[in-house]
């Protein structure tokens, strides 16, 4: 039989209380960060950075932010009861500000890359696209003048003229006194012209009939030139065909491998500029897509590289307003791009933001908006 004294009862009561307090302390330590994070999300006014990137971010007037990215963000902020304030910054400064903690969130058409992931966190992707190349279509007159004044074509024509004069001169010296059939004109100058025409026909059509020439030397020269002119004509034909093709710049550029020999543009601090740099393609950078398109339209560059969806949208919108009518995006896509919301490392908002982002991506509102902007199914 065990006898419990009042002192032992007090001891066990004290022990039970101590264990309860310890358990509550452990639970508080486990859950308080999450509770504090949730409270901080609701209490804090987030500082959001952005920059214009139609159709993802469109700023028609101060403090009026529209577009696909802000449609997504407004939905997330509403569902999570987030308060926020927007600040406009260029892409490079925006990324640096989020990485340093000066901004809480970055919103625009910002691609998720391994290099950026080293300094920042990203939400799940909310839009996928690729890099593409835009060029300026030439008018019929520009195409014609481009062919006529092509340097390589002019060089080939000069070579043909010199070769024709040389061959014609040789035959003139050998045949003009004895061959009335080939040299029928009375004046010396007219016979020289006949000699040049003979040389030109010989160079472009091939050797004449052996029996057309009266002198033995003329016949020997004809035989010797027969092989040479056959090869010469084939070479000239190939080079001329190439020269005519070079008159059309849009036929020259089929993908990124063709950008080495043309003037190329890209947006500053963008993944397209990084791609060109990594592939050793010298290019000029521009602060905005609009300036880049203007440079292409004016002939400052021959091609620009940027995200396919943005190029198509902005060119199509500009053409509906009567500008940039000769610009087109080539149907060659490369280097996949995934857009995400930029967050600081170990951001307390990522889980909630990702959950709402994925939910909204499945909504009919998001799908209808994509159709409205891009006319896709």
């Amino acid at each position: 039989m065990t006898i419990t004294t009042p002192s032992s009862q007090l001891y066990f009561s004290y022990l039970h209380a101590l264990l309860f307090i310890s358990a509550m302390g452990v639970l508080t330590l486990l859950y308080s960060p999450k509770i504090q994070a949730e409270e901080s999300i609701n209490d804090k006014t987030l500082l959001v950075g952005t920059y214009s990137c139609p159709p993802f971010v469109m700023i028609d007037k101060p403090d009026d932010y529209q577009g696909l990215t802000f449609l997504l963000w407004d939905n997330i902020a509403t569902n999570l009861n987030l308060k926020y304030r927007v600040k406009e910054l260029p892409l490079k400064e925006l990324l640096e500000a989020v990485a340093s903690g000066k901004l809480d969130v970055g919103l625009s058409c910002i691609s998720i890359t391994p290099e950026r992931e080293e300094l920042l966190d990203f939400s799940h992707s909310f839009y996928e696209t690729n890099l593409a190349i835009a060029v300026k279509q030439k008018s019929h007159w520009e195409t014609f003048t481009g062919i006529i004044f092509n340097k390589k074509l002019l060089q080939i024509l000069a070579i043909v003229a010199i070769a024709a004069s040389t061959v014609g001169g040789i035959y003139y010296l050998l045949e003009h006194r004895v061959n009335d059939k080939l040299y029928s004109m009375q004046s010396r100058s007219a016979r020289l012209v006949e000699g040049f025409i003979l040389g030109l026909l010989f160079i472009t059509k091939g050797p004449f009939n052996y029996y057309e020439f009266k002198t033995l030397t003329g016949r020997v020269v004809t035989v010797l030139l027969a092989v040479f002119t056959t090869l010469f004509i084939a070479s000239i034909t190939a080079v001329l065909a190439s020269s005519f093709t070079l008159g059309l710049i849009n036929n020259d550029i089929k993908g990124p491998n063709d950008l080495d020999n043309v003037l190329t543009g890209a947006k500053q601090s963008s993944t397209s500029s990084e791609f060109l740099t990594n592939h050793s393609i010298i290019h000029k950078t521009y602060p905005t897509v609009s300036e880049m398109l203007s440079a292409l339209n004016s002939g400052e560059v021959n091609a620009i590289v940027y995200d396919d969806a943005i190029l198509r949208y902005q060119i199509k919108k500009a053409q509906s307003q009567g500008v940039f009518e000769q610009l087109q995006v080539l149907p060659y896509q490369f280097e996949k791009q995934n857009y995400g919301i930029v967050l600081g490392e170990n951001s307390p908002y990522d889980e909630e933001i990702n959950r709402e982002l994925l939910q909204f991506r499945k909504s009919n509102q998001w799908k209808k908006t994509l159709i409205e902007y891009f006319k896709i199914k």
Side-chain angles (χ1 to χ4, degrees):
M1 178 176 175
T2 303
I3 299 174
T4 304
T5 63
S7 59
S8 63
Q9 289 178 346
L10 181 62
Y11 170 77
F12 283 116
S13 298
Y14 176 77
L15 183 60
H16 289 159
L18 184 61
L19 290 172
F20 177 77
I21 292 170
S22 300
M24 290 300 295
V26 171
L27 291 173
T28 301
L29 288 173
L30 289 173
Y31 292 102
S32 62
K34 184 174 181 180
I35 294 170
Q36 290 172 5
E38 291 177 352
E39 289 176 351
S40 65
I41 289 177
N42 294 328
D43 295 341
K44 181 181 178 181
T45 298
L46 303 182
L47 188 56
V48 174
T50 193
Y51 59 88
S52 177
C53 183
F56 293 91
V57 175
M58 297 183 288
I59 310 171
D60 295 328
K61 54 186 179 181
D63 299 323
D64 181 21
Y65 302 99
Q66 305 292 329
L68 285 165
T69 305
F70 269 91
L71 172 67
L72 172 68
W73 175 249
D74 285 338
N75 180 273
I76 293 172
T78 299
N79 290 344
L80 296 179
N81 195 26
L82 299 179
K83 299 185 289 290
Y84 65 92
R85 183 164 54 89
V86 181
K87 183 177 181 181
E88 293 179 40
L89 289 170
L91 172 59
K92 184 178 180 181
E93 285 82 348
L94 184 153
L95 296 175
E96 291 173 350
V98 177
S100 65
K102 295 178 182 177
L103 291 177
D104 298 297
V105 177
L107 300 174
S108 193
C109 50
I110 304 173
S111 297
I112 304 170
T113 67
E115 294 78 15
R116 292 172 180 173
E117 281 277 11
E118 291 179 1
L119 302 173
L120 301 158
D121 280 342
F122 282 87
S123 69
H124 292 308
S125 171
F126 64 83
Y127 190 82
E128 293 78 39
T129 183
N130 295 82
L131 293 184
I133 301 170
V135 297
K136 183 180 181 181
Q137 287 272 33
K138 289 188 173 183
S139 65
H140 295 303
W141 173 249
E142 287 175 325
T143 301
F144 175 75
T145 56
I147 292 173
I148 294 300
F149 296 105
N150 183 281
K151 290 182 179 180
K152 186 176 287 188
L153 175 61
L154 294 177
Q155 291 172 353
I156 293 301
L157 293 177
I159 292 172
V160 170
I162 292 170
S165 299
T166 302
V167 172
I170 292 172
Y171 280 122
Y172 177 81
L173 293 174
L174 295 174
E175 299 279 329
H176 77 280
R177 290 189 180 90
V178 297
N179 198 330
D180 294 335
K181 182 177 180 181
L182 295 179
Y183 302 96
S184 58
M185 296 292 105
Q186 297 299 318
S187 67
R188 185 171 180 272
S189 59
R191 288 193 172 194
L192 288 174
V193 172
E194 284 185 309
F196 175 77
I197 293 173
L198 177 67
L200 187 61
L201 291 173
F202 201 105
I203 290 296
T204 56
K205 286 185 65 178
F208 281 75
N209 190 317
Y210 175 84
Y211 299 104
E212 295 286 343
F213 302 98
K214 303 293 185 182
T215 64
L216 177 62
T217 306
R219 293 182 177 184
V220 171
V221 169
T222 301
V223 173
L224 294 175
L225 287 177
V227 176
F228 169 78
T229 54
T230 301
L231 297 175
F232 183 78
I233 291 169
S235 302
I236 291 298
T237 302
V239 175
L240 285 176
S242 174
S243 298
F244 277 92
T245 303
L246 289 173
L248 302 170
I249 185 72
N250 53 311
N251 287 342
D252 265 355
I253 305 172
K254 306 231 185 288
N257 293 333
D258 301 318
L259 297 175
D260 286 324
N261 301 319
V262 298
L263 298 173
T264 306
K267 189 173 180 289
Q268 288 177 355
S269 304
S270 64
T271 50
S272 54
S273 179
E274 292 174 9
F275 174 85
L276 294 173
T277 300
N278 292 338
H279 288 75
S280 302
I281 299 174
I282 298 173
H283 60 284
K284 186 172 183 179
T285 58
Y286 298 88
T288 66
V289 178
S290 297
E291 291 178 67
M292 189 167 60
L293 291 171
S294 296
L296 177 61
N297 192 62
S298 66
E300 186 176 322
V301 292
N302 303 123
I304 58 173
V305 178
Y306 201 56
D307 296 11
D308 179 73
I310 297 170
L311 283 177
R312 291 185 186 278
Y313 175 84
Q314 296 212 26
I315 289 175
K316 186 174 182 180
K317 184 177 180 181
Q319 289 174 345
S320 69
Q321 299 170 352
V323 294
F324 299 160
E325 293 184 343
Q326 291 176 264
L327 302 190
Q328 70 163 7
V329 180
L330 299 179
Y332 312 102
Q333 298 182 350
F334 52 98
E335 202 71 10
K336 187 176 181 180
Q337 306 291 295
N338 294 282
Y339 296 159
I341 297 173
V342 185
L343 303 167
E345 280 199 300
N346 302 316
S347 171
Y349 321 120
D350 56 356
E351 184 178 342
E352 290 79 5
I353 287 174
N354 276 325
R355 184 174 61 248
E356 296 298 332
L357 183 154
L358 294 174
Q359 281 291 111
F360 190 64
R361 277 201 62 169
K362 294 188 295 184
S363 69
N364 289 330
Q365 183 182 1
W366 178 254
K367 294 173 183 176
K368 288 179 181 178
T369 307
L370 289 178
I371 293 172
E372 178 185 343
Y373 280 115
F374 299 116
K375 306 299 180 186
I376 63 174
K377 295 183 179 180

